[in-house]
Amino acid sequence: MDSTSKLSTATIALHWIVALGMISLIASGIYMHETEAFSIYPLHKSFGVLITLFVLWRIYLRIKNGWPTPVRQYKPLEIRLSKIVHWLLIIGTILMPVSGMMMSGLGGHGIPFFGLELLARNPSPENPKEVIAYSESLAFAGKVMHGLGGNILIAAITLHLLGALKHHFIDKDATLLRMLGKSK
Ligand code: HEM
Ligand code: HEM
């Protein structure tokens, strides 16, 4: 269980698996979008589906155990800001894979999972290189959410990182150390 002085192994491991996964997926997603590097699409999608399992496990633990209590008394404004950012991060971690699956799956492009086919491509009978969307409107909604969600997540992660660095270097408290499994 999480306590004021120590976080559980599950909280720490899930935080860093999801954090590194999200940052890598954002970087690869932007690279794909900018360069049309189609060879990495299946890897991006597969890791996106895989990370969803860790995200769901993490959300389950948050619902069951609540948020970790702060290491010390923060100012009310700090508490409010960190709550907003933590909620944005949690919502972003679920919105990104869901919107990615809507965009690709319902767009007819298919959802691969490391060589397996979770949802098959839907090739056009006239030109098999083209695909037909299962639902054009939901695939479009997924695309808009994936692009917008990515930008909101980048802003939230930047604020979150700045907050963690402020706690460590300016306030000199144990917030970051506790998430690294260390004590002050
Ligand atoms: C789970 C976390 C995920 C994150 C953080 C993430 C992040 C991103 C980002 C930031 C982009 C660039 C979007 C843009 O600039 O418009 C992107 C593109 C893309 N993502 Fe994801 N993604 C995730 C999961 C998925 C999943 C599960 C799928 C599909 C099954 C997927 C499919 C795609 C595709 C096809 C693109 C390229 C879109 C284009 O070329 O415009 N993503 N992703
Ligand atoms: C960029 C590097 C990162 C650092 C240095 C970092 C650091 C931290 C620290 C120190 C805490 C504890 C805050 C507290 O005790 O009040 C925390 C909590 C949290 N972080 Fe991060 N983090 C990073 C990236 C991320 C990313 C990318 C995500 C998700 C997209 C994320 C999601 C969360 C969430 C939701 C919490 C709330 C506590 C929990 O649910 O475990 N973090 N982070």
Side-chain angles (χ1 to χ4, degrees):
M1 268 301 263
D2 296 329
S3 73
T4 313
S5 58
K6 200 171 180 292
L7 295 176
S8 68
T9 310
T11 291
I12 296 174
L14 286 173
H15 173 268
W16 292 113
I17 291 171
V18 173
L20 295 179
M22 284 292 149
I23 292 170
S24 314
L25 283 160
I26 291 173
S28 62
I30 292 174
Y31 180 76
M32 279 157 49
H33 182 75
E34 296 296 319
T35 62
E36 299 200 334
F38 293 119
S39 58
I40 43 174
Y41 275 53
L43 262 186
H44 177 90
K45 295 183 190 182
S46 301
F47 275 107
V49 172
L50 180 63
I51 201 86
T52 314
L53 303 178
F54 292 98
V55 167
L56 290 176
W57 183 8
R58 185 150 187 253
I59 291 178
Y60 164 72
L61 286 185
R62 279 292 146 265
I63 292 170
K64 193 165 143 261
N65 302 334
W67 299 93
T69 41
V71 296
R72 65 176 175 81
Q73 199 80 42
Y74 296 148
K75 290 187 200 111
L77 179 67
E78 261 181 330
I79 297 177
R80 213 169 306 141
L81 256 182
S82 79
K83 274 272 153 278
I84 293 172
V85 172
H86 287 168
W87 273 104
L88 280 178
L89 292 171
I90 288 273
I91 293 169
T93 52
I94 197 70
L95 198 77
M96 290 308 284
V98 169
S99 58
M101 286 184 234
M102 281 168 68
M103 161 172 65
S104 295
L106 300 178
H109 297 282
I111 305 179
F113 187 66
F114 301 108
L116 300 173
E117 236 179 18
L118 287 189
L119 189 72
R121 262 180 105 243
N122 190 25
S124 151
E126 286 96 51
N127 178 6
K129 280 193 177 155
E130 299 286 318
V131 292
I132 300 176
Y134 293 109
S135 163
E136 225 158 272
S137 53
L138 286 179
F140 179 72
K143 191 174 169 57
V144 172
M145 265 158 54
H146 211 63
L148 209 67
N151 287 321
I152 294 174
L153 206 50
I154 291 172
I157 294 172
T158 307
L159 284 174
H160 183 60
L161 178 62
L162 288 175
L165 294 177
K166 174 190 176 282
H167 280 302
H168 192 68
F169 290 109
I170 299 177
D171 303 336
K172 298 195 192 319
D173 65 29
T175 304
L176 179 59
L177 289 174
R178 187 177 66 158
M179 193 45 101
L180 290 166
K182 297 179 182 161
S183 50
K184 212 168 142 63

Coordinates of all heavy atoms in Angstrom, one line a residue, residues 22 25-26 29-30 32-33 41 44-45 48-49 51 96-97 100-101 103-104 111 143 146-147, ligand 1:
M22 N 4.1 6.3 -22.7 CA 3.4 7.4 -23.3 C 4.4 8.4 -24.1 O 4.1 8.8 -25.2 CB 2.7 8.2 -22.2 CG 1.4 7.5 -21.7 SD 0.2 7.5 -23.0 CE -0.6 6.0 -22.6
L25 N 5.5 6.8 -27.3 CA 4.4 6.7 -28.3 C 4.1 8.1 -28.8 O 3.8 8.3 -30.0 CB 3.1 6.1 -27.7 CG 3.2 4.6 -27.5 CD1 2.2 4.1 -26.5 CD2 3.0 3.9 -28.9
I26 N 4.2 9.2 -28.0 CA 4.0 10.5 -28.5 C 5.1 10.9 -29.5 O 4.8 11.4 -30.6 CB 4.0 11.6 -27.3 CG1 2.7 11.4 -26.5 CG2 4.0 13.0 -27.9 CD1 2.7 12.2 -25.2
G29 N 4.6 8.8 -32.6 CA 3.4 9.3 -33.3 C 3.6 10.5 -34.1 O 3.2 10.6 -35.3
I30 N 4.3 11.5 -33.5 CA 4.6 12.8 -34.2 C 5.5 12.5 -35.4 O 5.3 13.0 -36.5 CB 5.2 13.8 -33.2 CG1 4.1 14.2 -32.2 CG2 5.7 15.0 -33.9 CD1 4.6 15.1 -31.1
M32 N 5.8 9.7 -37.1 CA 5.0 9.1 -38.1 C 4.2 10.1 -38.9 O 4.1 10.1 -40.1 CB 4.0 8.1 -37.5 CG 4.6 6.8 -37.1 SD 3.6 6.0 -35.8 CE 2.0 6.1 -36.4
H33 N 3.5 11.0 -38.1 CA 2.6 12.0 -38.7 C 3.4 12.9 -39.7 O 2.9 13.3 -40.7 CB 1.9 12.8 -37.6 CG 0.9 13.8 -38.1 ND1 -0.3 13.4 -38.6 CD2 1.0 15.1 -38.2 CE1 -0.9 14.5 -39.0 NE2 -0.2 15.6 -38.7
Y41 N 4.2 2.2 -38.3 CA 2.8 2.2 -37.8 C 2.4 0.9 -37.0 O 1.8 1.1 -35.9 CB 1.9 2.4 -39.0 CG 1.7 3.8 -39.5 CD1 2.8 4.6 -39.7 CD2 0.4 4.4 -39.6 CE1 2.6 6.0 -40.1 CE2 0.2 5.7 -40.0 CZ 1.3 6.5 -40.3 OH 1.1 7.8 -40.6
H44 N 3.9 1.1 -33.5 CA 3.2 2.2 -32.7 C 1.9 1.6 -32.2 O 1.5 1.8 -31.0 CB 3.1 3.4 -33.6 CG 2.3 4.5 -32.9 ND1 2.9 5.5 -32.2 CD2 1.0 4.9 -32.9 CE1 2.0 6.4 -31.7 NE2 0.8 6.0 -32.1
K45 N 1.1 1.0 -33.1 CA -0.2 0.5 -32.8 C -0.1 -0.6 -31.8 O -0.8 -0.7 -30.8 CB -0.9 0.0 -34.0 CG -1.3 1.1 -35.0 CD -2.0 0.5 -36.2 CE -2.2 1.5 -37.4 NZ -3.0 0.9 -38.5
G48 N 0.9 0.7 -28.5 CA -0.3 1.4 -28.0 C -1.3 0.5 -27.3 O -1.9 0.9 -26.3
V49 N -1.5 -0.6 -28.0 CA -2.5 -1.6 -27.4 C -1.9 -2.2 -26.1 O -2.6 -2.3 -25.1 CB -2.9 -2.7 -28.4 CG1 -3.7 -3.8 -27.8 CG2 -3.6 -2.1 -29.7
I51 N 0.3 -1.0 -24.0 CA 0.3 0.0 -22.9 C -1.1 0.1 -22.2 O -1.2 0.4 -21.0 CB 0.9 1.3 -23.3 CG1 1.5 2.1 -22.1 CG2 -0.1 2.2 -24.0 CD1 2.8 1.8 -21.8
M96 N -5.9 8.3 -25.5 CA -5.0 8.2 -26.6 C -5.1 6.8 -27.2 O -5.3 6.7 -28.5 CB -3.5 8.5 -26.2 CG -3.3 9.9 -26.0 SD -3.8 11.0 -27.3 CE -2.5 10.7 -28.5
P97 N -5.0 5.7 -26.5 CA -5.2 4.4 -27.1 C -6.6 4.2 -27.7 O -6.8 3.6 -28.8 CB -4.9 3.3 -26.0 CG -4.8 4.1 -24.7 CD -4.6 5.5 -25.1
G100 N -6.8 6.1 -30.9 CA -6.0 5.5 -31.9 C -6.7 4.3 -32.5 O -6.7 4.1 -33.7
M101 N -7.3 3.5 -31.6 CA -8.0 2.3 -32.1 C -9.2 2.7 -32.9 O -9.5 2.0 -33.9 CB -8.4 1.4 -30.9 CG -7.2 0.7 -30.3 SD -7.7 -0.5 -29.0 CE -6.7 0.1 -27.7
M103 N -9.5 5.5 -34.7 CA -9.0 6.0 -36.0 C -8.6 4.9 -36.9 O -9.0 4.8 -38.1 CB -7.8 6.9 -35.7 CG -6.9 7.2 -36.9 SD -5.7 8.5 -36.5 CE -4.7 7.8 -35.2
S104 N -7.7 3.9 -36.4 CA -7.2 2.9 -37.3 C -8.2 1.8 -37.5 O -8.4 1.4 -38.7 CB -6.0 2.2 -36.6 OG -4.9 3.2 -36.5
I111 N -6.0 -3.2 -36.8 CA -5.2 -3.0 -35.5 C -4.4 -4.3 -35.4 O -4.9 -5.4 -35.0 CB -6.2 -2.9 -34.3 CG1 -7.2 -1.7 -34.5 CG2 -5.4 -2.6 -33.0 CD1 -8.1 -1.5 -33.4
K143 N -9.5 10.4 -35.0 CA -8.3 11.1 -35.6 C -8.2 12.5 -34.9 O -7.1 12.9 -34.5 CB -8.5 11.2 -37.1 CG -7.2 11.7 -37.8 CD -7.3 11.7 -39.3 CE -6.2 12.4 -40.0 NZ -4.9 11.9 -39.6
H146 N -7.1 12.0 -31.3 CA -5.7 11.5 -31.2 C -4.8 12.7 -31.4 O -3.8 12.8 -30.6 CB -5.5 10.4 -32.2 CG -4.5 9.4 -31.8 ND1 -4.7 8.5 -30.8 CD2 -3.3 9.0 -32.4 CE1 -3.6 7.7 -30.7 NE2 -2.8 8.0 -31.6
G147 N -5.1 13.5 -32.3 CA -4.2 14.7 -32.6 C -4.3 15.7 -31.5 O -3.3 16.1 -30.9
Ligands
HEM1 C1 -1.5 4.6 -26.2 C2 -1.0 5.6 -26.4 C3 -0.7 6.4 -27.7 C4 -0.2 7.6 -27.8 C5 0.4 8.4 -26.6 C6 -0.2 7.9 -29.2 C7 0.3 9.1 -29.7 C8 0.3 9.6 -31.0 C9 0.6 10.9 -31.4 C10 1.0 12.1 -30.5 C11 0.4 10.9 -32.8 C12 0.6 12.1 -33.7 C13 -0.8 12.6 -34.0 C14 -0.8 13.9 -34.9 O1 0.2 14.7 -34.9 O2 -1.8 14.1 -35.6 C15 0.0 9.6 -33.2 C16 -0.2 9.2 -34.5 C17 -0.8 8.0 -34.8 N1 -1.3 7.0 -33.9 FE1 -1.0 7.0 -31.9 N2 -0.7 7.0 -29.9 C18 -1.1 5.9 -29.0 C19 -1.8 4.8 -29.4 C20 -2.2 4.4 -30.7 C21 -3.0 3.2 -31.0 C22 -3.4 2.2 -30.0 C23 -3.2 3.3 -32.3 C24 -3.9 2.3 -33.2 C25 -4.3 1.1 -32.9 C26 -2.5 4.5 -32.9 C27 -2.5 4.9 -34.2 C28 -1.8 6.0 -34.7 C29 -1.7 6.3 -36.1 C30 -2.2 5.5 -37.3 C31 -1.1 7.6 -36.2 C32 -0.7 8.3 -37.4 C33 -1.7 9.3 -37.8 C34 -1.3 10.1 -39.0 O3 -0.5 9.7 -39.8 O4 -1.8 11.2 -39.1 N3 -1.9 5.2 -31.8 N4 -0.1 8.8 -32.0

